[in-house]
């Protein structure tokens, strides 16, 4: 059982398949958060407002193909894992093309009864990638903090320099008045 809560976007137009897939996901993920879309517009909205960890998509949808959905997802965030769950990919060349175009994998709907067994390795990989990305995000965040601290220090130096330059200017002006005063005598 995967204990990490996964945010899953399911792109599927058949309500019966949605229910079956959700049931299978709940067998392997303790607390999944699942949103459903059946068109590109809703999918885009979920990418922006839901921020899924993984997208599961049918290949044949009423208004687009799964490749259209994958292109949208990968264009939005190439690090989001994308898995086809479809009855359409019978052609090995088409299946290979989905992988070459960026899919993390595909599962045929004829395996719906044991979908959890087929899906679990993919979702475990998603969790491992999430942990790695979280570690990377933490390092990036720490680096940004360090860079911000350096910028703050440099700004302080610049501020100090401005004060030094102004003080030097005042000293030079005072010295020039002193020198002018000497010439007058």
């Amino acid at each position: 059982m995967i204990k990490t809560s996964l945010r899953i976007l399911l792109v599927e137009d058949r309500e019966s398949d949605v229910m079956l897939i959700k049931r299978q996901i709940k067998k392997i993920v303790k607390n999944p958060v699942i949103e459903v879309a059946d068109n590109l517009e809703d999918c885009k909205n979920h990418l922006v407002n839901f921020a899924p960890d993984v997208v599961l998509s049918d290949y044949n949808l009423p208004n687009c193909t799964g490749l259209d959905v994958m292109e949208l997802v990968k264009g939005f965030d190439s690090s989001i894992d994308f898995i086809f769950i479809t009855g359409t990919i019978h052609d090995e060349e088409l299946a290979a093309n989905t992988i070459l175009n960026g899919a993390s994998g595909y599962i045929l709907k004829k395996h719906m009864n044991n979908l959890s067994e087929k899906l679990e390795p993919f979702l475990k990989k998603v969790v491992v990638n999430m942990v790695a990305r979280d570690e990377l995000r933490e390092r990036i965040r720490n680096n940004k903090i360090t860079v911000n601290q350096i910028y703050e220090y440099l700004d302080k130096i610049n501020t100090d320099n401005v004060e030094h330059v102004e003080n030097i200017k005042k000293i030079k002006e005072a010295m020039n008045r002193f020198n002018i005063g000497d010439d007058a005598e």
Side-chain angles (χ1 to χ4, degrees), residues 11 21 25 30 51 64 80 98 117 122 162 169 175-176 180:
V11 184
I21 292 169
I25 289 171
K30 186 173 183 177
C64 60
I80 297 174
T98 63
E117 294 170 22
F122 289 115
V162 169
K169 189 175 172 183
M175 289 175 63
N176 284 338
I180 295 174

Side-chain angles (χ1 to χ4, degrees), residues 25-121:
I25 289 171
K26 289 176 182 179
K27 287 181 178 180
I28 55 174
V29 180
K30 186 173 183 177
N31 294 312
V33 181
I34 304 169
E35 291 290 329
V36 180
D38 66 359
N39 61 66
L40 288 175
E41 186 67 29
D42 289 348
C43 185
K44 183 176 182 180
N45 184 40
H46 286 304
L47 289 171
V48 171
N49 298 308
F50 176 63
D53 300 310
V54 61
V55 175
L56 308 178
S57 180
D58 191 2
Y59 191 87
N60 278 334
L61 297 159
N63 301 319
C64 60
T65 69
L67 287 176
D68 296 328
V69 174
M70 185 171 65
E71 185 177 306
L72 173 69
V73 170
K74 293 300 182 179
F76 183 78
D77 182 348
S78 62
S79 68
I80 297 174
D81 286 284
F82 191 96
I83 302 164
F84 282 106
I85 299 179
T86 184
T88 301
I89 303 179
H90 301 293
D91 181 357
E92 288 179 15
E93 185 175 340
L94 182 59
N97 282 336
T98 63
I99 302 298
L100 292 173
N101 285 317
S104 304
Y106 68 92
I107 300 169
L108 297 176
K109 284 185 178 178
K110 69 179 184 180
H111 300 294
M112 196 67 89
N113 289 336
N114 61 348
L115 177 66
S116 60
E117 294 170 22
K118 304 279 185 192
L119 190 56
E120 188 172 22

Side-chain angles (χ1 to χ4, degrees), residues 163-174:
E163 287 178 31
H164 291 310
V165 168
E166 288 175 12
N167 288 336
I168 291 170
K169 189 175 172 183
K170 288 177 185 175
I171 292 170
K172 284 183 181 178
E173 288 172 0

Side-chain angles (χ1 to χ4, degrees), residues 123-174:
L123 294 183
K124 282 184 176 180
K125 181 180 171 219
V126 169
V127 170
V128 168
N129 288 341
M130 283 172 51
V131 170
R133 281 194 300 265
D134 286 346
E135 289 172 4
L136 181 59
R137 273 193 214 116
E138 185 63 23
R139 277 189 270 156
I140 289 170
R141 190 179 75 73
N142 288 334
N143 287 343
K144 284 182 179 180
I145 289 170
T146 302
V147 168
N148 289 339
Q149 290 170 345
I150 290 169
Y151 281 141
E152 185 178 314
Y153 176 75
L154 291 175
D155 286 344
K156 186 176 180 336
I157 288 175
N158 283 338
T159 302
D160 290 346
N161 268 350
V162 169
E163 287 178 31
H164 291 310
V165 168
E166 288 175 12
N167 288 336
I168 291 170
K169 189 175 172 183
K170 288 177 185 175
I171 292 170
K172 284 183 181 178
E173 288 172 0

